[in-house]
Amino acid sequence: MKTASTLTHLECGHCGATYDAHRLMNLCPACSKPLLARYDLARAAQTLTPQALASRPANLWRYEEVLPVQRREAMITLGEGWTPLIHAQRLGQAIGCPNTYIKDESLNPTGSFKARGLSLAVSRAFELGARELAIPSAGNAAGALSAYAAAVGLPAHVFMPRDVPTPFQVECRTLGASVTLVDGLITDCGARVREGVEAHGWFDVSTLKEPYRLEGKKTMGYELAEQMGWTLPDVVIYPTGGGTGLVGMWKAFDEMEQMGLIGSKRPRMVTVQSSGCAPMVRAFQQGAEFAEPWQGAHTVADGLRVPAAVGDFLILRALRESHGTAVAVTDDEMLAYARQMGRHTGIFPAPEGAACLAAQVQLLEQGWIQPDETVVLFNTGSGLKYAHLWA
Ligand SMILES: *Cc1c(COP(=O)(O)O)cnc(C)c1O
């Protein structure tokens, strides 16, 4: 049976070239930059209405019209998305910003928001005939790929840095993936995936190197608006590695405005990175269009240990268009603010999620955020897989 998808074509985010959306694609063949999925939004708007949404399933597939999957049998789901948006009242009072909210992505399958992207990427890869899937990952993406590949029954090859914490390795192996530990960083893992693509025809589901992980992560933007009664907050703080969530939400806001679901008001988007790996912060401060790779990247926040991002120009564009900013915080701050978030909310955050709180406090002190503004922090994962950090 067909879905209500209104997917029309793919468009390069850099050179604007357009492509048929109904075959497997990685980067733009013309300029090697990320491809973006485009929809017939006028048609989508006829059925994607607040009233219709009220009776739809409590997962990300509720936004079917603006998702790429064409056939119902190809929707590979473990219940991803529609995570709670929690008004963190005690935390907000403690830091002097009462309208602080946490979008708690730790409740996704596999304990992180990587489930959103990989659900869509695996569904589409399966639908378009990929036979084996491969990914370079700092940890959470590998777990999510392993889960969705297992759900549909496709082989998954995951490449992670050798020092990735044990829970991530165990998770992937238990879910049946083939796991290779690489001496080096996620960029070195990416090189190993490319070898397998050449040699064995694997399909590469690296972040932003195929168009659909972005479509999964953009649903955070749809949920944010729907959960806030079709308004958006003043500020969104997002822990940025490859930037898929930030770029995805920015795309979602644009789509929603075109469909008449929201107006033109946008949140100021904030990227937070670790001071041990902050290529986007540096590029933002320099006013650059692209980011130079970060040398000697190190941080306990595995999801932020991304020295170079293929979507760098899309991240920087969203930050500037939104009048946002980019800040770095130390690993010690992440660990300390994880405790503060935990004690005041009941959420045990990943260090990446805690980084958002550290950034919020820094921006409140600088006066960049006003105490009466509405601020949404993204807790992108559960602290459980990183529990050794606080032990
Ligand atoms: C991957 C990851 C990030 C970074 O996400 P991007 O969309 O790649 O920027 C942040 N937090 C956690 C827990 C992650 O796993």
Side-chain angles (χ1 to χ4, degrees):
M1 213 177 88
K2 274 192 69 70
T3 65
S5 173
T6 63
L7 181 68
T8 53
H9 62 282
L10 298 174
E11 182 183 324
C12 176
H14 188 248
C15 76
T18 60
Y19 301 94
D20 177 8
H22 300 298
R23 60 194 173 95
L24 281 176
M25 294 283 276
N26 286 109
L27 292 170
C28 174
C31 74
S32 299
K33 295 292 181 198
L35 293 173
L36 307 175
R38 298 297 183 204
Y39 300 84
D40 180 347
L41 294 173
R43 186 153 68 85
Q46 292 169 10
T47 51
L48 190 67
T49 61
Q51 297 81 336
L53 282 164
S55 59
R56 291 198 186 178
N59 60 51
L60 60 73
W61 298 96
R62 61 200 281 108
Y63 308 110
E64 189 175 314
E65 287 89 340
V66 288
L67 292 176
V69 177
Q70 302 295 302
R71 285 182 296 119
R72 240 159 243 293
E73 313 80 79
M75 290 175 157
I76 314 303
T77 177
L78 295 168
E80 51 290 329
W82 202 248
T83 55
L85 179 68
I86 291 163
H87 187 183
Q89 281 172 298
R90 291 185 56 240
L91 178 67
Q93 265 150 27
I95 62 169
C97 188
N99 297 320
T100 297
Y101 290 78
I102 299 175
K103 183 74 170 148
D104 190 9
E105 291 292 305
S106 70
L107 288 150
N108 276 297
T110 70
S112 91
F113 74 154
K114 290 295 195 300
R116 292 181 187 265
L118 271 311
S119 169
L120 265 294
V122 172
S123 294
R124 260 321 250 173
F126 169 67
E127 180 164 68
L128 297 176
R131 287 202 300 268
E132 297 190 43
L133 308 174
I135 201 166
S137 169
N140 279 318
L145 173 65
S146 304
Y148 289 96
V152 68
L154 289 176
H157 304 273
V158 311
F159 292 80
M160 293 186 282
R162 190 168 297 283
D163 57 1
V164 69
T166 316
F168 295 102
Q169 304 178 29
V170 173
E171 178 183 36
C172 295
R173 290 207 173 94
T174 306
L175 293 168
S178 107
V179 177
T180 307
L181 300 178
V182 176
D183 292 309
L185 298 173
I186 188 167
T187 31
D188 304 293
C189 297
R192 295 289 299 275
V193 167
R194 282 194 295 282
E195 287 170 22
V197 168
E198 298 279 314
H200 312 294
W202 298 344
F203 185 65
D204 182 354
V205 292
S206 299
T207 194
L208 285 168
K209 285 192 187 166
E210 61 75 55
Y212 302 117
R213 280 176 67 178
L214 183 72
E215 295 306 288
K217 279 206 182 162
K218 85 175 178 190
T219 58
M220 293 188 293
Y222 280 87
E223 288 178 23
L224 199 55
E226 190 179 355
Q227 290 172 327
M228 299 187 87
W230 303 104
T231 64
L232 291 171
D234 297 305
V235 177
V236 166
I237 308 185
Y238 182 83
T240 305
T244 329
L246 185 116
V247 173
M249 283 192 273
W250 196 243
K251 180 174 189 280
F253 299 154
D254 188 50
E255 291 174 356
M256 285 189 283
E257 185 178 353
Q258 289 188 54
M259 289 188 284
L261 288 167
I262 59 168
S264 59
K265 185 196 168 217
R266 293 287 182 277
R268 309 200 299 285
M269 304 297 284
V270 178
T271 269
V272 53
Q273 296 195 302
S274 163
S275 52
C277 180
M280 293 306 140
V281 179
R282 184 173 62 189
F284 180 80
Q285 286 168 354
Q286 290 171 346
E289 186 189 0
F290 298 97
E292 293 294 320
W294 190 269
Q295 301 301 323
H298 65 90
T299 167
V300 298
D302 298 282
L304 305 186
R305 202 163 55 146
V306 181
V310 277
D312 52 358
F313 66 105
L314 297 171
I315 299 170
L316 293 163
R317 196 188 285 169
L319 295 180
R320 294 200 176 105
E321 285 179 3
S322 76
H323 308 288
T325 190
V327 298
V329 303
T330 66
D331 282 10
D332 285 345
E333 287 175 300
M334 289 184 220
L335 299 186
Y337 280 105
R339 286 201 177 87
Q340 185 171 15
M341 187 184 284
R343 284 168 195 196
H344 287 95
T345 64
I347 296 168
F348 180 20
E352 293 87 343
C356 295
L357 178 58
Q360 184 188 12
V361 171
Q362 192 177 315
L363 292 170
L364 279 163
E365 279 166 5
Q366 290 168 13
W368 193 88
I369 295 175
Q370 300 302 313
D372 63 347
E373 288 190 300
T374 301
V375 179
V376 174
L377 314 180
F378 274 82
N379 176 39
T380 45
S382 163
L384 285 174
K385 287 189 231 180
Y386 310 73
H388 59 281
L389 295 175
W390 294 276

